[in-house]
Coordinates of all heavy atoms in Angstrom, one line a residue:
L591 N -38.2 -17.1 5.8 CA -39.0 -15.9 6.0 C -39.5 -15.3 4.7 O -40.6 -14.7 4.6 CB -38.2 -14.8 6.8 CG -38.8 -13.5 7.1 CD1 -40.0 -13.6 8.0 CD2 -37.8 -12.5 7.7
I592 N -38.7 -15.5 3.6 CA -39.1 -14.9 2.3 C -40.5 -15.5 1.9 O -41.2 -14.8 1.2 CB -38.0 -15.2 1.3 CG1 -36.8 -14.4 1.6 CG2 -38.5 -14.9 -0.1 CD1 -35.6 -14.6 0.6
D593 N -40.8 -16.7 2.4 CA -42.1 -17.3 2.0 C -43.2 -16.4 2.4 O -44.3 -16.3 1.7 CB -42.2 -18.6 2.7 CG -43.4 -19.4 2.2 OD1 -43.4 -19.7 1.0 OD2 -44.3 -19.6 3.1
A594 N -43.1 -15.6 3.5 CA -44.2 -14.7 4.0 C -44.4 -13.6 3.0 O -45.4 -12.9 3.0 CB -43.8 -14.2 5.4
Y595 N -43.4 -13.4 2.1 CA -43.5 -12.3 1.1 C -44.0 -12.7 -0.3 O -44.0 -12.0 -1.2 CB -42.1 -11.7 1.0 CG -41.7 -10.9 2.2 CD1 -41.1 -11.5 3.3 CD2 -41.8 -9.5 2.2 CE1 -40.7 -10.8 4.4 CE2 -41.3 -8.8 3.3 CZ -40.8 -9.4 4.4 OH -40.4 -8.7 5.5
K596 N -44.5 -14.0 -0.3 CA -44.7 -14.5 -1.7 C -45.9 -13.8 -2.4 O -46.0 -13.7 -3.6 CB -44.8 -16.0 -1.8 CG -46.0 -16.6 -1.1 CD -46.0 -18.1 -1.4 CE -47.2 -18.7 -0.7 NZ -47.0 -19.7 0.3
N597 N -46.8 -13.2 -1.5 CA -47.9 -12.4 -2.2 C -47.6 -10.9 -2.2 O -48.6 -10.1 -2.4 CB -49.2 -12.7 -1.4 CG -49.6 -14.1 -1.5 OD1 -49.5 -14.7 -2.6 ND2 -50.1 -14.7 -0.4
E598 N -46.4 -10.6 -2.0 CA -46.0 -9.2 -2.0 C -46.5 -8.4 -3.2 O -46.4 -9.0 -4.3 CB -44.5 -9.1 -1.8 CG -43.9 -7.7 -1.6 CD -44.5 -6.9 -0.5 OE1 -44.4 -7.4 0.7 OE2 -45.1 -5.8 -0.7
T599 N -46.9 -7.2 -3.1 CA -47.2 -6.4 -4.3 C -46.4 -5.2 -4.5 O -46.4 -4.5 -5.5 CB -48.7 -6.0 -4.3 OG1 -48.9 -5.3 -3.0 CG2 -49.7 -7.2 -4.4
N600 N -45.7 -4.8 -3.4 CA -45.0 -3.5 -3.5 C -43.7 -3.6 -4.3 O -42.8 -4.5 -4.0 CB -44.7 -3.0 -2.1 CG -44.1 -1.6 -2.0 OD1 -42.9 -1.5 -2.3 ND2 -44.9 -0.6 -1.8
Y601 N -43.5 -2.7 -5.2 CA -42.2 -2.7 -6.0 C -41.0 -2.7 -5.2 O -40.1 -3.4 -5.4 CB -42.3 -1.5 -7.0 CG -40.9 -1.2 -7.5 CD1 -40.2 -2.0 -8.3 CD2 -40.3 0.0 -7.1 CE1 -38.9 -1.7 -8.7 CE2 -39.0 0.3 -7.5 CZ -38.2 -0.6 -8.3 OH -37.0 -0.3 -8.7
T602 N -40.9 -1.7 -4.2 CA -39.7 -1.5 -3.5 C -39.4 -2.7 -2.6 O -38.2 -3.1 -2.4 CB -39.8 -0.2 -2.7 OG1 -40.3 0.8 -3.6 CG2 -38.4 0.2 -2.3
V603 N -40.4 -3.3 -2.0 CA -40.2 -4.5 -1.2 C -39.6 -5.6 -2.0 O -38.6 -6.3 -1.7 CB -41.5 -4.9 -0.5 CG1 -41.2 -6.2 0.4 CG2 -42.0 -3.8 0.4
W604 N -40.2 -5.8 -3.2 CA -39.6 -6.8 -4.1 C -38.2 -6.5 -4.5 O -37.4 -7.4 -4.6 CB -40.5 -6.9 -5.4 CG -41.6 -7.9 -5.3 CD1 -42.9 -7.6 -5.5 CD2 -41.5 -9.3 -5.0 NE1 -43.7 -8.8 -5.4 CE2 -42.8 -9.8 -5.1 CE3 -40.4 -10.2 -4.7 CZ2 -43.1 -11.2 -4.8 CZ3 -40.7 -11.5 -4.5 CH2 -42.0 -12.0 -4.5
N605 N -38.0 -5.2 -4.7 CA -36.6 -4.8 -5.1 C -35.6 -5.2 -4.1 O -34.5 -5.7 -4.4 CB -36.6 -3.3 -5.3 CG -35.4 -2.8 -6.1 OD1 -34.6 -3.6 -6.6 ND2 -35.2 -1.5 -6.1
D606 N -36.0 -5.0 -2.8 CA -35.1 -5.4 -1.8 C -34.9 -6.9 -1.7 O -33.7 -7.4 -1.5 CB -35.6 -4.8 -0.4 CG -34.5 -4.9 0.6 OD1 -33.6 -4.1 0.6 OD2 -34.6 -5.8 1.5
I607 N -36.0 -7.6 -1.8 CA -35.8 -9.1 -1.8 C -35.0 -9.6 -2.9 O -34.1 -10.4 -2.8 CB -37.2 -9.7 -1.8 CG1 -38.0 -9.4 -0.5 CG2 -37.1 -11.3 -2.0 CD1 -39.5 -9.8 -0.5
C608 N -35.2 -9.0 -4.1 CA -34.4 -9.4 -5.2 C -32.9 -9.0 -5.0 O -32.0 -9.8 -5.4 CB -34.9 -8.7 -6.5 SG -36.4 -9.5 -7.0

Side-chain angles (χ1 to χ4, degrees):
L591 179 64
I592 290 181
D593 188 61
Y595 289 79
K596 66 174 185 240
N597 296 321
E598 183 59 59
T599 51
N600 185 283
Y601 158 68
T602 314
V603 178
W604 270 124
N605 194 8
D606 192 73
I607 294 171
C608 286

